[in-house]
Amino acid sequence: MKTLNEYMSLPYRMEIVKDMDEGGFVASYPELPGCLTCGETVETAAANALDAKRAWLTAALEDGIEIQEPDTLEDYSGQFKLRIPRSLHRSLAEHSRREGISMNQYCVYLLAKNDTAYTNYTTQ
């Protein structure tokens, strides 16, 4: 088992979202369930998040709770196989040809655009 300082030094992903109901911002660590705090500004929420992370990790260590380590990009290859209808394949091929880019680049663009829209929608 790692020490508190070892866990604190790991690159846990912090998420900060605007609190539409109360105002200010909410900060959390997705890999540390229930570890969240808030602040009037993004900067305050981020500073408070470090304190909340320390308190959460301290309590987990004292209680013998298993602590998940942060996800890393090494867990993802950047590739996946997707089956789509032929008509959609044709449409994507035509649009990418019109744009002068590969269909792979065009699909990455569409996925990134949609993912950003989804992320913005879920954090508002």
Side-chain angles (χ1 to χ4, degrees):
M1 186 175 278
K2 292 181 173 26
T3 66
L4 174 61
N5 287 335
E6 288 171 325
Y7 279 115
M8 287 296 293
S9 69
L10 294 176
Y12 286 99
R13 180 173 46 96
M14 180 193 303
E15 290 184 354
I16 300 178
V17 296
K18 190 170 182 78
D19 187 336
M20 301 306 281
D21 297 326
E22 302 291 325
F25 297 86
V26 176
S28 65
Y29 292 93
E31 292 106 353
L32 306 176
C35 181
L36 61 105
T37 189
C38 60
E40 290 298 315
T41 66
V42 171
E43 294 79 13
T44 305
N48 291 345
L50 290 176
D51 291 337
K53 179 176 148 185
R54 180 176 296 282
W56 192 97
L57 290 168
T58 298
L61 288 168
E62 288 173 358
D63 294 343
I65 295 171
E66 184 178 341
I67 300 171
Q68 179 182 338
E69 294 199 12
D71 289 336
T72 64
L73 289 179
E74 286 90 36
D75 297 336
Y76 303 95
S77 69
Q79 297 180 12
F80 66 96
K81 190 173 187 173
L82 178 66
R83 297 206 182 275
I84 59 175
R86 290 179 185 206
S87 59
L88 178 58
H89 189 172
R90 178 183 61 210
S91 179
L92 291 170
E94 289 171 355
H95 288 124
S96 63
R97 198 174 7 245
R98 237 179 273 133
E99 294 295 324
I101 58 176
S102 72
M103 194 170 81
N104 188 60
Q105 288 175 312
Y106 185 65
C107 289
V108 168
Y109 160 75
L110 292 174
L111 288 167
K113 181 179 172 185
N114 188 61
D115 187 58
T116 300
Y118 176 78
T119 301
N120 290 335
Y121 172 76
T122 60
T123 59
Q124 292 182 357

